[in-house]
């Protein structure tokens, strides 16, 4: 194996397109200069399309978690009670952030691998009118679930006046997102997944209703004060020093998305998911999630006749292929394949072919080509370019 060749098929960070790498290597410019302002103006209009909003999209220098924390400290006022919808590790992260600020939380927990039921949310809110905000993940990275965010948002607004806050870090840019049409009050996402960049940028869009809450919120905050970001983006600048190299890359990412067309970006992610799932079904290896709620950006596989950690080590040793393991109580029980951002059908065919060899090397006798053929069939049915 070529020692420096790495094949990254994890749910973030995701591979970076060569043109984006080149963009990030541009010489540094002044972050308060006209060049930066012009770039931010262009980026802002294109980000709105990806998030499906007419609101300004705020850019924070920080990981996706910084965006989640910013949402909490801006939206939740002292003594407010909130509801957190937990379908995996990143729903739990919202709870941990709230706990750090001594916020009283209510929780709806579902079995990992299952999606949140909108009717359960509606019923809970009717019984707890004191709740001021609801927090949910769109794609739950730890399980490969895509929660029915549109329907959950409808349930929230039908049952209460609570604000609806969504973590879209592991899917926005890879799945359809219509923040305004779906009634989402705060949408948070990050740079290192479907946006095909290194970690280091968080993107936040806020509804008018949510801005009214933020502007009257007495909770202290400084770097995460979204009012500062709002005031500055109106002037095509940022309140604090931006990660300019990442923003160079972001401009090129948005150019690539625009050139491909957002509808085709989403169609490609759906195709990658379908190819991956078809392969494991053909190999008779269980998937953690149902087809109905499977995410187009990550697939979770739950083997019952081989050790997933041994399997991951074999793939890494033989091919330089990295797939992700499980988190928390699913550690050692599942592995996860990222297929988002800079990922093509050819990448999935390569991955499945390597996986078939890896299965045999860990003693799981597998007919070579069976999973690959299933993925190929899906491509011929759904992906042929005409």
């Amino acid at each position: 194996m070529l020692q420096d060749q790495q094949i990254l098929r994890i749910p973030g960070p995701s591979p970076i397109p060569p043109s984006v790498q080149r963009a990030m290597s541009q010489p540094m410019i002044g972050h308060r200069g006209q060049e930066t302002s012009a770039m931010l103006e262009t980026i802002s209009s294109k980000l709105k399309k990806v998030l499906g909003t007419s609101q300004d999209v705020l850019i924070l220098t920080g990981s996706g978690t910084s965006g989640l924390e910013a949402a909490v400290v801006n939206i939740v006022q002292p003594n407010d009670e909130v509801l957190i919808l937990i379908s995996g590790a990143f729903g739990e992260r919202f709870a941990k952030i709230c706990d750090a600020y001594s916020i009283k939380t209510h929780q709806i927990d579902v079995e990992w691998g299952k999606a949140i039921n909108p009717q359960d949310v509606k019923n809970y809110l009717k019984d707890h009118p004191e709740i001021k905000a609801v927090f949910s993940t769109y794609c739950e990275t730890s399980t490969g679930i895509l929660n029915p965010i549109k329907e959950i948002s409808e349930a929230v607004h039908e049952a209460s006046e609570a604000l609806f806050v969504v973590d879209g870090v592991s899917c926005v840019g890879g799945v359809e997102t219509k923040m305004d049409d779906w009634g989402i009050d705060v949408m948070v996402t990050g740079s290192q997944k479907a946006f095909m960049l290194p970690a280091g940028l968080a993107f936040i869009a806020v509804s008018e209703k949510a801005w009214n809450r933020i502007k009257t919120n007495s909770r202290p905050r400084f770097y995460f004060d979204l009012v500062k970001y709002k005031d500055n983006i109106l002037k095509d600048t940022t309140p604090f020093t931006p990660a300019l190299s990442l923003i160079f890359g972001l401009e090129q990412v948005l150019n690539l998305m625009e050139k491909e067309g957002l509808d085709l970006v989403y169609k490609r992610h759906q195709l990658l998911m379908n190819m991956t799932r078809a392969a494991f079904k053909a190999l008779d290896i269980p998937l953690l999630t149902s087809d109905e709620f499977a995410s187009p950006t990550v697939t979770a596989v739950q083997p019952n006749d081989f050790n997933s950690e041994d399997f991951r080590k074999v793939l890494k040793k033989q091919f330089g292929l990295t797939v992700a393991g499980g988190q928390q109580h699913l550690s050692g029980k599942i592995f996860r394949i990222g297929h988002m951002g800079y990922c093509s059908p050819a990448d999935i065919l390569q991955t499945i072919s390597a996986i078939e060899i890896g299965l045999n090397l860990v003693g799981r006798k597998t007919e070579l080509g069976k999973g690959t053929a299933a993925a190929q069939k899906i491509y011929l049915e759904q992906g042929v370019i005409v």
Side-chain angles (χ1 to χ4, degrees), residues 82 176 289 292 337:
V82 304
E176 184 178 56
T289 64
E292 182 181 5
I337 299 172

Side-chain angles (χ1 to χ4, degrees), residues 60-177:
L60 280 65
T61 299
S63 69
T65 301
S66 74
L68 304 183
E69 183 163 345
V72 170
V73 298
N74 281 268
I75 288 297
V76 185
Q77 303 188 62
N79 302 316
D80 278 356
E81 298 182 24
V82 304
L83 172 63
I84 301 172
L85 311 180
I86 301 177
S87 54
F90 290 90
E92 289 185 351
R93 181 161 297 183
F94 262 139
K96 291 175 181 177
I97 293 170
C98 289
D99 287 345
Y101 288 93
S102 300
I103 295 166
K104 183 175 180 180
T105 62
H106 302 251
Q107 297 180 12
I108 294 178
D109 291 83
V110 298
E111 178 185 348
W112 286 30
K114 306 293 184 185
I116 298 293
N117 185 332
Q119 188 60 48
D120 291 342
V121 177
K122 189 173 185 178
N123 293 341
Y124 196 96
L125 290 171
K126 285 181 176 179
D127 292 337
H128 296 85
E130 68 277 14
I131 289 171
K132 300 298 184 182
V134 179
F135 295 87
S136 180
T137 54
Y138 191 175
C139 169
E140 177 48 69
T141 321
S142 63
T143 65
I145 276 291
L146 193 73
N147 279 307
I149 287 298
K150 177 178 180 290
E151 291 77 12
I152 294 172
S153 184
E154 290 171 353
V156 169
H157 296 308
E158 287 171 7
S160 75
E161 291 298 315
L163 297 177
F164 186 43
V165 181
V166 176
D167 164 8
V169 171
S170 64
C171 65
V172 172
V175 302
E176 184 178 56
T177 304

Side-chain angles (χ1 to χ4, degrees), residues 19-50:
S19 66
V20 176
Q21 290 276 19
R22 292 192 296 271
M24 291 190 295
S25 298
Q26 293 178 76
M28 194 53 56
I29 60 176
H31 66 284
R32 298 301 182 207
Q34 183 55 42
E35 287 177 281
T36 299
S37 292
M39 182 169 55
L40 287 172
E41 182 181 14
T42 299
I43 285 170
S44 180
S45 64
K46 293 182 178 181
L47 277 175
K48 291 178 183 182
K49 295 176 183 177
V50 180

Side-chain angles (χ1 to χ4, degrees), residues 17 19-20 23 26 39 42-43 45-47 50 195-196 247-262 265:
S19 66
V20 176
Q26 293 178 76
M39 182 169 55
T42 299
I43 285 170
S45 64
K46 293 182 178 181
L47 277 175
V50 180
F195 275 92
M196 304 182 283
I247 291 175
F248 288 149
L250 175 61
E251 183 178 39
Q252 177 58 13
V253 164
L254 293 167
N255 289 341
L256 292 175
M257 288 183 173
E258 185 175 67
K259 184 176 181 179
E260 184 176 0
L262 280 177
V265 170

Side-chain angles (χ1 to χ4, degrees), residues 192-220:
Q192 77 275 21
K193 297 184 185 278
F195 275 92
M196 304 182 283
L197 289 164
L201 296 177
F203 312 122
I204 306 178
V206 180
S207 73
E208 289 299 330
K209 180 180 177 182
W211 277 122
N212 291 334
R213 179 82 61 85
I214 290 170
K215 290 173 182 177
T216 60
N217 189 355
S218 62
R219 183 178 298 280

